[in-house]
mmCIF file of all heavy atoms in Angstrom:
data_model
loop_
_atom_site.group_PDB
_atom_site.id
_atom_site.type_symbol
_atom_site.label_atom_id
_atom_site.label_comp_id
_atom_site.label_asym_id
_atom_site.label_seq_id
_atom_site.Cartn_x
_atom_site.Cartn_y
_atom_site.Cartn_z
ATOM 1 N N SER A 188 14.815 -9.293 -14.142
ATOM 2 C CA SER A 188 13.685 -8.945 -15.041
ATOM 3 C C SER A 188 12.807 -10.072 -15.337
ATOM 4 O O SER A 188 11.681 -9.896 -15.861
ATOM 5 C CB SER A 188 14.300 -8.295 -16.337
ATOM 6 O OG SER A 188 15.064 -9.266 -17.034
ATOM 7 N N SER A 189 13.269 -11.288 -15.159
ATOM 8 C CA SER A 189 12.503 -12.508 -15.565
ATOM 9 C C SER A 189 11.588 -13.004 -14.438
ATOM 10 O O SER A 189 10.838 -13.973 -14.651
ATOM 11 C CB SER A 189 13.425 -13.585 -15.959
ATOM 12 O OG SER A 189 14.215 -13.185 -17.100
ATOM 13 N N ASP A 190 11.744 -12.444 -13.254
ATOM 14 C CA ASP A 190 11.028 -12.993 -12.124
ATOM 15 C C ASP A 190 10.055 -12.008 -11.432
ATOM 16 O O ASP A 190 10.255 -10.783 -11.497
ATOM 17 C CB ASP A 190 12.005 -13.463 -11.010
ATOM 18 C CG ASP A 190 12.603 -14.815 -11.333
ATOM 19 O OD1 ASP A 190 11.865 -15.811 -11.148
ATOM 20 O OD2 ASP A 190 13.724 -14.867 -11.810
ATOM 21 N N ALA A 191 9.006 -12.566 -10.918
ATOM 22 C CA ALA A 191 8.085 -11.732 -10.112
ATOM 23 C C ALA A 191 8.780 -11.309 -8.815
ATOM 24 O O ALA A 191 9.749 -11.940 -8.423
ATOM 25 C CB ALA A 191 6.840 -12.474 -9.741
ATOM 26 N N MET A 192 8.327 -10.183 -8.246
ATOM 27 C CA MET A 192 8.819 -9.741 -7.004
ATOM 28 C C MET A 192 7.675 -9.437 -6.037
ATOM 29 O O MET A 192 6.589 -8.997 -6.539
ATOM 30 C CB MET A 192 9.681 -8.483 -7.152
ATOM 31 C CG MET A 192 10.953 -8.689 -7.947
ATOM 32 S SD MET A 192 12.114 -9.872 -7.182
ATOM 33 C CE MET A 192 12.504 -8.972 -5.670
ATOM 34 N N ARG A 193 7.850 -9.649 -4.789
ATOM 35 C CA ARG A 193 6.739 -9.416 -3.794
ATOM 36 C C ARG A 193 7.229 -8.696 -2.571
ATOM 37 O O ARG A 193 8.463 -8.785 -2.229
ATOM 38 C CB ARG A 193 6.226 -10.833 -3.428
ATOM 39 C CG ARG A 193 5.710 -11.694 -4.554
ATOM 40 C CD ARG A 193 5.561 -13.120 -4.107
ATOM 41 N NE ARG A 193 5.039 -13.912 -5.210
ATOM 42 C CZ ARG A 193 5.127 -15.280 -5.242
ATOM 43 N NH1 ARG A 193 5.697 -15.958 -4.271
ATOM 44 N NH2 ARG A 193 4.650 -15.946 -6.307
ATOM 45 N N TRP A 194 6.307 -8.022 -1.958
ATOM 46 C CA TRP A 194 6.512 -7.482 -0.634
ATOM 47 C C TRP A 194 5.546 -8.096 0.378
ATOM 48 O O TRP A 194 4.356 -8.193 0.088
ATOM 49 C CB TRP A 194 6.222 -5.937 -0.598
ATOM 50 C CG TRP A 194 7.297 -5.144 -1.280
ATOM 51 C CD1 TRP A 194 7.294 -4.645 -2.552
ATOM 52 C CD2 TRP A 194 8.495 -4.665 -0.702
ATOM 53 N NE1 TRP A 194 8.404 -3.895 -2.832
ATOM 54 C CE2 TRP A 194 9.202 -3.908 -1.697
ATOM 55 C CE3 TRP A 194 9.114 -4.813 0.567
ATOM 56 C CZ2 TRP A 194 10.434 -3.310 -1.456
ATOM 57 C CZ3 TRP A 194 10.357 -4.232 0.804
ATOM 58 C CH2 TRP A 194 10.980 -3.504 -0.230
ATOM 59 N N TYR A 195 6.115 -8.609 1.436
ATOM 60 C CA TYR A 195 5.349 -9.203 2.560
ATOM 61 C C TYR A 195 5.564 -8.287 3.756
ATOM 62 O O TYR A 195 6.499 -7.427 3.766
ATOM 63 C CB TYR A 195 5.871 -10.602 2.898
ATOM 64 C CG TYR A 195 5.472 -11.628 1.921
ATOM 65 C CD1 TYR A 195 6.117 -11.813 0.722
ATOM 66 C CD2 TYR A 195 4.431 -12.559 2.264
ATOM 67 C CE1 TYR A 195 5.764 -12.837 -0.138
ATOM 68 C CE2 TYR A 195 4.113 -13.593 1.414
ATOM 69 C CZ TYR A 195 4.759 -13.732 0.242
ATOM 70 O OH TYR A 195 4.434 -14.742 -0.628
ATOM 71 N N ARG A 196 4.716 -8.420 4.791
ATOM 72 C CA ARG A 196 4.942 -7.745 6.062
ATOM 73 C C ARG A 196 4.526 -8.677 7.184
ATOM 74 O O ARG A 196 3.687 -9.532 6.971
ATOM 75 C CB ARG A 196 4.240 -6.460 6.105
ATOM 76 C CG ARG A 196 2.684 -6.548 6.149
ATOM 77 C CD ARG A 196 2.028 -5.205 6.084
ATOM 78 N NE ARG A 196 0.578 -5.207 6.152
ATOM 79 C CZ ARG A 196 -0.180 -4.158 5.951
ATOM 80 N NH1 ARG A 196 0.343 -2.931 5.746
ATOM 81 N NH2 ARG A 196 -1.549 -4.238 5.973
ATOM 82 N N GLN A 197 5.135 -8.391 8.322
ATOM 83 C CA GLN A 197 4.825 -9.193 9.523
ATOM 84 C C GLN A 197 4.788 -8.219 10.715
ATOM 85 O O GLN A 197 5.754 -7.602 11.106
ATOM 86 C CB GLN A 197 5.887 -10.232 9.776
ATOM 87 C CG GLN A 197 5.561 -11.180 10.884
ATOM 88 C CD GLN A 197 6.373 -12.413 10.934
ATOM 89 O OE1 GLN A 197 7.407 -12.501 10.339
ATOM 90 N NE2 GLN A 197 5.930 -13.439 11.672
ATOM 91 N N ALA A 198 3.538 -8.123 11.233
ATOM 92 C CA ALA A 198 3.347 -7.235 12.417
ATOM 93 C C ALA A 198 3.607 -8.035 13.601
ATOM 94 O O ALA A 198 3.569 -9.264 13.642
ATOM 95 C CB ALA A 198 1.905 -6.756 12.375
ATOM 96 N N PRO A 199 3.881 -7.318 14.745
ATOM 97 C CA PRO A 199 4.122 -8.012 16.020
ATOM 98 C C PRO A 199 3.042 -8.953 16.360
ATOM 99 O O PRO A 199 1.868 -8.635 16.374
ATOM 100 C CB PRO A 199 4.253 -6.855 16.982
ATOM 101 C CG PRO A 199 4.639 -5.696 16.146
ATOM 102 C CD PRO A 199 3.978 -5.840 14.897
ATOM 103 N N GLY A 200 3.398 -10.217 16.668
ATOM 104 C CA GLY A 200 2.433 -11.193 17.094
ATOM 105 C C GLY A 200 1.613 -11.838 15.939
ATOM 106 O O GLY A 200 0.655 -12.580 16.258
ATOM 107 N N LYS A 201 1.870 -11.484 14.760
ATOM 108 C CA LYS A 201 1.051 -11.973 13.606
ATOM 109 C C LYS A 201 1.945 -12.691 12.623
ATOM 110 O O LYS A 201 3.163 -12.619 12.601
ATOM 111 C CB LYS A 201 0.340 -10.799 12.937
ATOM 112 C CG LYS A 201 -0.668 -10.075 13.821
ATOM 113 C CD LYS A 201 -1.454 -9.084 13.036
ATOM 114 C CE LYS A 201 -2.551 -8.460 13.899
ATOM 115 N NZ LYS A 201 -3.384 -7.461 13.131
ATOM 116 N N GLY A 202 1.284 -13.357 11.711
ATOM 117 C CA GLY A 202 1.982 -14.142 10.625
ATOM 118 C C GLY A 202 2.398 -13.195 9.535
ATOM 119 O O GLY A 202 1.967 -12.026 9.479
ATOM 120 N N ARG A 203 3.257 -13.680 8.637
ATOM 121 C CA ARG A 203 3.658 -12.877 7.489
ATOM 122 C C ARG A 203 2.604 -12.884 6.432
ATOM 123 O O ARG A 203 2.045 -13.979 6.078
ATOM 124 C CB ARG A 203 4.970 -13.504 6.959
ATOM 125 C CG ARG A 203 5.747 -12.613 6.068
ATOM 126 C CD ARG A 203 7.165 -13.137 5.785
ATOM 127 N NE ARG A 203 7.988 -13.170 6.977
ATOM 128 C CZ ARG A 203 9.349 -13.420 6.982
ATOM 129 N NH1 ARG A 203 9.902 -13.695 5.832
ATOM 130 N NH2 ARG A 203 9.955 -13.384 8.087
ATOM 131 N N GLU A 204 2.298 -11.747 5.940
ATOM 132 C CA GLU A 204 1.246 -11.606 4.958
ATOM 133 C C GLU A 204 1.712 -11.008 3.657
ATOM 134 O O GLU A 204 2.595 -10.092 3.692
ATOM 135 C CB GLU A 204 0.031 -10.829 5.495
ATOM 136 C CG GLU A 204 0.309 -9.356 5.786
ATOM 137 C CD GLU A 204 -0.918 -8.575 6.093
ATOM 138 O OE1 GLU A 204 -2.052 -9.004 5.744
ATOM 139 O OE2 GLU A 204 -0.781 -7.411 6.616
ATOM 140 N N LEU A 205 1.152 -11.408 2.562
ATOM 141 C CA LEU A 205 1.544 -10.822 1.281
ATOM 142 C C LEU A 205 0.852 -9.477 1.090
ATOM 143 O O LEU A 205 -0.404 -9.350 1.266
ATOM 144 C CB LEU A 205 1.051 -11.756 0.124
ATOM 145 C CG LEU A 205 1.295 -11.199 -1.325
ATOM 146 C CD1 LEU A 205 2.756 -11.025 -1.570
ATOM 147 C CD2 LEU A 205 0.697 -12.194 -2.297
ATOM 148 N N VAL A 206 1.640 -8.463 0.842
ATOM 149 C CA VAL A 206 1.072 -7.109 0.670
ATOM 150 C C VAL A 206 0.835 -6.807 -0.765
ATOM 151 O O VAL A 206 -0.212 -6.327 -1.164
ATOM 152 C CB VAL A 206 2.114 -6.078 1.281
ATOM 153 C CG1 VAL A 206 1.599 -4.679 1.006
ATOM 154 C CG2 VAL A 206 2.332 -6.319 2.687
ATOM 155 N N THR A 207 1.810 -7.073 -1.645
ATOM 156 C CA THR A 207 1.736 -6.734 -3.039
ATOM 157 C C THR A 207 2.742 -7.556 -3.869
ATOM 158 O O THR A 207 3.746 -7.968 -3.312
ATOM 159 C CB THR A 207 1.899 -5.214 -3.235
ATOM 160 O OG1 THR A 207 1.793 -4.919 -4.649
ATOM 161 C CG2 THR A 207 3.276 -4.764 -2.741
ATOM 162 N N SER A 208 2.476 -7.621 -5.144
ATOM 163 C CA SER A 208 3.429 -8.334 -6.006
ATOM 164 C C SER A 208 3.344 -7.728 -7.343
ATOM 165 O O SER A 208 2.367 -7.092 -7.757
ATOM 166 C CB SER A 208 3.105 -9.842 -6.134
ATOM 167 O OG SER A 208 1.876 -10.067 -6.746
ATOM 168 N N ILE A 209 4.428 -7.914 -8.115
ATOM 169 C CA ILE A 209 4.518 -7.473 -9.479
ATOM 170 C C ILE A 209 5.144 -8.554 -10.293
ATOM 171 O O ILE A 209 6.240 -9.059 -9.941
ATOM 172 C CB ILE A 209 5.329 -6.090 -9.593
ATOM 173 C CG1 ILE A 209 5.236 -5.542 -10.974
ATOM 174 C CG2 ILE A 209 6.742 -6.229 -9.051
ATOM 175 C CD1 ILE A 209 5.706 -4.088 -11.123
ATOM 176 N N SER A 210 4.524 -8.876 -11.445
ATOM 177 C CA SER A 210 5.107 -9.899 -12.285
ATOM 178 C C SER A 210 6.205 -9.351 -13.180
ATOM 179 O O SER A 210 6.486 -8.162 -13.223
ATOM 180 C CB SER A 210 3.990 -10.487 -13.177
ATOM 181 O OG SER A 210 3.620 -9.550 -14.113
ATOM 182 N N SER A 211 6.827 -10.278 -13.919
ATOM 183 C CA SER A 211 7.957 -9.825 -14.825
ATOM 184 C C SER A 211 7.367 -8.902 -15.910
ATOM 185 O O SER A 211 8.106 -8.021 -16.472
ATOM 186 C CB SER A 211 8.601 -11.014 -15.444
ATOM 187 O OG SER A 211 7.702 -11.811 -16.096
ATOM 188 N N SER A 212 6.142 -9.026 -16.248
ATOM 189 C CA SER A 212 5.512 -8.163 -17.269
ATOM 190 C C SER A 212 4.846 -6.949 -16.734
ATOM 191 O O SER A 212 4.305 -6.146 -17.494
ATOM 192 C CB SER A 212 4.513 -9.034 -18.038
ATOM 193 O OG SER A 212 3.495 -9.499 -17.265
ATOM 194 N N GLY A 213 4.888 -6.796 -15.379
ATOM 195 C CA GLY A 213 4.366 -5.631 -14.826
ATOM 196 C C GLY A 213 2.961 -5.700 -14.243
ATOM 197 O O GLY A 213 2.437 -4.709 -13.684
ATOM 198 N N ASN A 214 2.357 -6.873 -14.249
ATOM 199 C CA ASN A 214 1.014 -7.049 -13.617
ATOM 200 C C ASN A 214 1.207 -7.004 -12.111
ATOM 201 O O ASN A 214 2.126 -7.577 -11.588
ATOM 202 C CB ASN A 214 0.450 -8.354 -14.075
ATOM 203 C CG ASN A 214 0.076 -8.392 -15.538
ATOM 204 O OD1 ASN A 214 -0.309 -7.382 -16.124
ATOM 205 N ND2 ASN A 214 0.287 -9.510 -16.183
ATOM 206 N N THR A 215 0.247 -6.382 -11.486
ATOM 207 C CA THR A 215 0.328 -6.186 -10.071
ATOM 208 C C THR A 215 -0.834 -6.725 -9.298
ATOM 209 O O THR A 215 -1.929 -6.917 -9.868
ATOM 210 C CB THR A 215 0.400 -4.670 -9.718
ATOM 211 O OG1 THR A 215 -0.701 -3.997 -10.268
ATOM 212 C CG2 THR A 215 1.673 -4.038 -10.272
ATOM 213 N N TYR A 216 -0.590 -7.063 -8.057
ATOM 214 C CA TYR A 216 -1.632 -7.493 -7.094
ATOM 215 C C TYR A 216 -1.431 -6.722 -5.800
ATOM 216 O O TYR A 216 -0.296 -6.425 -5.389
ATOM 217 C CB TYR A 216 -1.442 -9.029 -6.817
ATOM 218 C CG TYR A 216 -2.094 -9.406 -5.538
ATOM 219 C CD1 TYR A 216 -3.480 -9.700 -5.527
ATOM 220 C CD2 TYR A 216 -1.415 -9.438 -4.309
ATOM 221 C CE1 TYR A 216 -4.119 -10.043 -4.326
ATOM 222 C CE2 TYR A 216 -2.017 -9.802 -3.126
ATOM 223 C CZ TYR A 216 -3.385 -10.071 -3.166
ATOM 224 O OH TYR A 216 -3.953 -10.403 -1.967
ATOM 225 N N TYR A 217 -2.593 -6.355 -5.181
ATOM 226 C CA TYR A 217 -2.526 -5.679 -3.878
ATOM 227 C C TYR A 217 -3.494 -6.330 -2.934
ATOM 228 O O TYR A 217 -4.667 -6.663 -3.271
ATOM 229 C CB TYR A 217 -2.925 -4.249 -4.037
ATOM 230 C CG TYR A 217 -1.919 -3.384 -4.930
ATOM 231 C CD1 TYR A 217 -2.135 -3.189 -6.254
ATOM 232 C CD2 TYR A 217 -0.790 -2.873 -4.250
ATOM 233 C CE1 TYR A 217 -1.242 -2.496 -7.011
ATOM 234 C CE2 TYR A 217 0.143 -2.169 -5.035
ATOM 235 C CZ TYR A 217 -0.180 -1.925 -6.375
ATOM 236 O OH TYR A 217 0.756 -1.222 -7.158
ATOM 237 N N ALA A 218 -3.095 -6.487 -1.699
ATOM 238 C CA ALA A 218 -3.989 -6.904 -0.624
ATOM 239 C C ALA A 218 -5.097 -5.826 -0.478
ATOM 240 O O ALA A 218 -4.788 -4.599 -0.634
ATOM 241 C CB ALA A 218 -3.273 -7.172 0.692
#
């Protein structure tokens, strides 16, 4: 509950990219 969490993805032949994140307080970010 004290840490942010993130989802990344990696498509074939590409680098890993940040998709979305959520902070401990519930603030979100989306690509």
Side-chain angles (χ1 to χ4, degrees):
S188 61
S189 300
D190 279 282
M192 295 297 297
R193 301 165 179 161
W194 287 97
Y195 286 78
R196 67 185 180 186
Q197 187 164 18
K201 295 188 177 181
R203 197 168 294 190
E204 65 169 345
L205 176 62
V206 176
T207 180
S208 66
I209 185 166
S210 71
S211 58
S212 60
N214 294 322
T215 57
Y216 160 84
Y217 296 94

